[in-house]
């Protein structure tokens, strides 16, 4: 039993070290000047982890809250793998609620602060204020999560009407998630 605990501790430590090494080349070197002001991270923070995301967004056909006689696509949840610049899986993203979970066991949720438009057919860029991780690891002390450079994921433009209530559609997307910590 003692050996199993020690082995697990070594695995978690090794995973954390690999994550830090894999993201070091991007840490602190990211310029936000080309991003809309709404999704810029406040001064006093630096990039701690830079990831590339591949995943999907599930949309569900629901009654439009603004007009009970119509239906519209509603966000039902994300699922993505966030990887380093070599393609190594670092973080899983899923929800609701939106949750980012590192392979080392640390995980965070957050509150969306702002969005800004992306290209046609893409989900918007996003700035999230992170909640503190209860476990130590790569996501401990993350202050903000920023979603940028998106392709795909937007709700379909057609296919949702009162006859299709409850119907779900999964739309693939890719992008980048930056995890920020205080300087």
């Amino acid at each position: 039993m003692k050996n199993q605990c020690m082995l697990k501790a070594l695995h978690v430590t090794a995973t954390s070290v690999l994550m830090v090494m894999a993201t070091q080349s991007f840490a602190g070197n990211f310029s936000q000047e080309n991003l809309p002001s709404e999704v810029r991270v406040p001064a006093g923070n630096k990039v701690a982890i830079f990831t590339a995301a591949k995943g999907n967004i599930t949309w569900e056909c629901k009654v439009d809250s603004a007009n009970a006689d119509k239906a519209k696509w509603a966000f039902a949840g994300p699922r993505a793998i966030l990887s380093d610049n070599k393609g190594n899986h670092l973080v899983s993203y899923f929800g609701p609620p939106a949750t980012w979970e590192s392979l080392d066991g640390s995980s965070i949720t957050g509150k969306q602060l702002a969005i800004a438009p992306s290209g046609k057919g893409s989900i918007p860029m996003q700035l999230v204020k992170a909640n503190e991780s209860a476990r130590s690891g790569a996501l401990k002390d993350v202050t903000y999560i920023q979603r940028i450079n998106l392709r795909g994921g937007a709700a379909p433009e057609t296919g949702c009407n009162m006859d299709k209530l409850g119907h779900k559609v999964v739309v693939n997307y890719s992008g980048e998630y930056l995890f920020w910590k205080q300087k």
Side-chain angles (χ1 to χ4, degrees):
M1 182 69 152
K2 186 176 179 182
N3 287 342
Q4 286 178 326
C5 288
M6 187 177 285
L7 225 74
K8 184 169 176 105
L10 284 172
H11 177 73
V12 168
T13 301
T15 301
S16 295
V17 168
L18 287 172
M19 287 182 70
V20 168
M21 288 172 50
T23 59
Q24 274 181 348
S25 63
F26 294 103
N29 295 329
F30 180 76
S31 172
Q32 300 185 83
E33 68 185 42
N34 293 326
L35 296 177
S37 60
E38 299 87 357
V39 295
R40 289 184 187 173
V41 173
N45 293 277
K46 66 179 180 179
V47 175
I49 304 171
F50 180 98
T51 64
K54 288 191 189 252
N56 57 60
I57 305 291
T58 301
W59 297 94
E60 183 175 356
C61 185
K62 291 189 171 187
V63 173
D64 186 341
S65 59
N67 183 347
D69 294 331
K70 295 194 177 210
K72 73 175 192 175
W73 292 110
F75 178 80
R79 184 157 301 281
I81 300 296
L82 284 55
S83 303
D84 66 13
N85 60 347
K86 295 179 182 173
N88 298 311
H89 177 181
L90 298 179
V91 176
S92 296
Y93 173 52
F94 54 90
T99 303
W100 295 265
E101 183 175 69
S102 167
L103 294 181
D104 65 15
S106 58
S107 68
I108 51 178
T109 59
K111 179 181 187 268
Q112 178 176 284
L113 297 179
I115 59 171
S118 284
K120 183 168 175 50
S122 297
I123 56 176
M125 289 180 268
Q126 181 183 50
L127 179 63
V128 172
K129 175 72 174 140
N131 295 319
E132 182 64 32
S133 175
R135 299 180 80 180
S136 59
L139 299 180
K140 183 79 170 166
D141 299 324
V142 166
T143 53
Y144 294 92
I145 304 136
Q146 191 177 48
R147 181 177 72 195
I148 60 172
N149 297 327
L150 296 142
R151 288 167 298 289
E157 293 183 15
T158 61
C160 179
N161 57 50
M162 295 302 277
D163 294 333
K164 299 280 187 171
L165 293 178
H167 182 74
K168 292 183 179 179
V169 173
V170 177
V171 182
N172 291 333
Y173 84 102
S174 63
E176 296 168 342
Y177 286 79
L178 286 71
F179 297 85
W180 296 72
K181 295 184 180 183
Q182 284 188 327
K183 287 184 181 179

